[in-house]
């Protein structure tokens, strides 16, 4: 199972390196990693997607807390969250298929951020499932390049479960 960890750390040089080496030494993999400033000055938030069962995640959490600059570790996998990812996607788009590529991009609420003679670069923001879906749809045109940020997430203060929201949205349409 994949777990999403939200880690608050002191914003100091070498913190990310120490965390990465901890994972490497223990043979743990990080599937997604996003780092940025947190809500407080001097504190950064690291969002990681890590494969493993509950025992492995518990072990990782204990190891992270042993690092000096780690302030808080939270497994938010089962917690209602808002999750987002950013992706830039460069797709083949000739004059004969450009309108179809743009039409499909609009369905996913992707924005065209660059236009070239034979390609379009799209900006896509959304949950990780949306990223997979748009790549699958646009694959037939040929994807030239792709860059993804990795997942970022914050818990929902409302406590509303994301899956509940998706099911309500599906019923409405």
């Amino acid at each position: 199972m994949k777990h999403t960890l939200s880690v608050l750390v002191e914003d100091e040089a070498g913190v990310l390196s120490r965390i990465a080496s901890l994972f490497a030494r223990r043979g743990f993999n990080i599937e997604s990693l996003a780092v940025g400033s947190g809500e407080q000055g001097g504190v950064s938030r690291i969002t990681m997607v890590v494969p493993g069962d509950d025992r492995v995640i518990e072990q990782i959490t204990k190891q992270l807390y042993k690092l000096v600059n780690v302030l808080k570790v939270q497994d938010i996998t089962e917690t209602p969250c808002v999750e987002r990812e950013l992706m830039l996607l460069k797709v083949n788009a000739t004059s004969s298929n450009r309108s179809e590529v743009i039409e499909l991009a609009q369905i996913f609420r992707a924005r065209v951020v660059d236009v070239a003679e034979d390609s379009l670069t799209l900006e896509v923001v959304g949950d990780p499932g949306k990223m997979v879906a748009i790549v699958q749809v646009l694959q037939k045109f040929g994807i030239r390049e792709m860059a993804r940020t990795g997942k970022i997430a914050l818990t929902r203060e409302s406590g509303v479960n994301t899956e509940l929201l998706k099911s309500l949205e599906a019923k409405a349409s």
Side-chain angles (χ1 to χ4, degrees):
M1 181 177 170
K2 294 180 186 179
H3 288 259
T4 303
L5 300 180
S6 180
V7 183
L8 293 177
V9 298
E10 293 174 2
D11 191 8
E12 292 184 12
V15 174
L16 184 59
S17 176
R18 285 192 289 283
I19 288 173
S21 64
L22 169 94
F23 275 76
R25 283 192 314 270
R26 303 281 186 289
F28 298 134
N29 187 33
I30 300 173
E31 290 188 6
S32 172
L33 179 69
V35 184
S37 299
E39 56 279 3
Q40 296 175 317
V43 176
S44 292
R45 181 179 305 276
I46 300 172
T47 306
M48 295 185 273
V49 175
V50 182
D53 58 22
D54 290 341
R55 186 189 57 76
V56 167
I57 300 306
E58 184 179 332
Q59 186 180 6
I60 288 171
T61 301
K62 287 177 182 176
Q63 294 296 317
L64 284 169
Y65 271 122
K66 289 182 181 180
L67 297 176
V68 175
N69 302 106
V70 173
L71 304 172
K72 183 178 181 181
V73 181
Q74 193 177 8
D75 182 356
I76 60 173
T77 308
E78 300 297 326
T79 307
C81 290
V82 176
E83 301 174 341
R84 293 292 182 268
E85 195 171 319
L86 168 67
M87 177 172 60
L88 293 175
L89 191 61
K90 193 180 294 182
V91 182
N92 290 327
T94 61
S95 57
S96 63
N97 69 8
R98 184 177 305 271
S99 61
E100 186 180 357
V101 172
I102 291 171
E103 197 174 300
L104 288 168
Q106 288 173 341
I107 291 170
F108 286 91
R109 295 188 186 119
R111 290 184 13 184
V112 176
V113 292
D114 187 53
V115 178
E117 191 174 319
D118 58 353
S119 71
L120 291 173
T121 301
L122 306 174
E123 172 189 272
V124 188
V125 177
D127 64 73
K130 179 179 180 178
M131 302 299 146
V132 172
I134 193 168
V135 168
Q136 287 177 344
V137 168
L138 296 176
Q139 195 80 49
K140 68 181 181 183
F141 300 103
I143 294 175
R144 291 186 177 191
E145 291 180 74
M146 180 172 66
R148 290 174 68 170
T149 59
K151 178 166 61 171
I152 58 171
L154 290 176
T155 59
R156 287 185 182 272
E157 288 297 316
S158 65
V160 175
N161 185 320
T162 306
E163 296 306 314
L164 174 64
L165 290 176
K166 286 180 184 175
S167 68
L168 292 175
E169 198 173 272
K171 287 178 185 174
S173 47

